[in-house]
Amino acid sequence: MRYTPQGAAVCTFGVATNRSWTTESGEKKEDAEFHNIVAWNKLAEICSQFLKKGRKVYVEGRLSTRSWQGQDGTQKQRTEVVINDMVILDKKSDNPDEGIEIPEVGVEPQVAPEEIAEKPAKKAKKTEEKKEKEAPADEDIPF
């Protein structure tokens, strides 16, 4: 894990997806695909802390393709999955030497900082609206 100059945490890691099938002739085949994963902020810190090689994990996010020019002058391209959710699928490790402890509850989806800032203001506004609805106006009183 590393941090951007602005202080945002970023964690990059690889995930392999495996598949196996049997051909029409009865031959068993296996294939593996490797994916570049990027996590940001709190999710990056959680991934860095709990994920180790061989862990089974579910990730969800969007595809992002970056292009740049390499030092040798060739054009390079990399497609990554920028995740917004991660769930560890395997059980807690029986080996105490690994030093990782998996929380019992799943990881909450990541919330952008601007969404967090808006919530208290919206809650205060809803509270005011609720109070206005509860108090009857003078014309609503029947006598």
Side-chain angles (χ1 to χ4, degrees):
M1 184 174 71
R2 62 189 193 286
Y3 291 89
T4 65
Q6 294 78 22
V10 59
C11 180
T12 58
F13 57 97
V15 169
T17 54
N18 302 321
R19 69 181 185 116
S20 59
W21 71 97
T22 306
T23 64
E24 291 178 5
S25 63
E27 182 184 0
K28 291 193 175 196
K29 297 266 187 170
E30 290 186 5
D31 188 28
E33 292 278 335
F34 298 92
H35 311 281
N36 301 306
I37 310 296
V38 179
W40 289 91
N41 301 320
K42 185 66 177 169
L43 187 56
E45 294 172 4
I46 292 168
C47 290
S48 174
Q49 183 179 2
F50 294 116
L51 297 182
K52 305 288 182 226
K53 184 176 181 178
R55 299 300 309 263
K56 291 182 182 179
V57 64
Y58 165 85
V59 294
E60 185 176 302
R62 63 181 170 83
L63 292 176
S64 176
T65 303
R66 299 186 291 131
S67 298
W68 70 95
Q69 191 161 4
Q71 292 180 349
D72 58 355
T74 61
Q75 191 68 19
K76 307 240 182 210
Q77 194 171 25
R78 181 178 177 116
T79 300
E80 303 166 321
V81 181
V82 180
I83 64 170
N84 55 20
D85 194 13
M86 182 273 300
V87 178
I88 298 171
L89 299 176
D90 51 6
K91 301 284 185 209
K92 286 185 181 183
S93 174
D94 293 332
N95 185 358
D97 295 335
E98 289 185 19
I100 53 175
E101 187 175 315
I102 303 169
E104 293 298 323
V105 291
V107 175
E108 294 287 325
Q110 195 169 359
V111 179
E114 56 271 7
E115 291 178 24
I116 294 170
E118 290 177 10
K119 286 183 180 179
K122 286 182 179 178
K123 189 173 184 179
K125 186 177 179 181
K126 286 182 181 179
T127 304
E128 288 177 23
E129 290 174 358
K130 189 175 180 181
K131 286 180 182 177
E132 289 174 6
K133 288 180 182 178
E134 289 175 1
D138 289 339
E139 59 270 2
D140 291 340
I141 299 174
F143 50 90

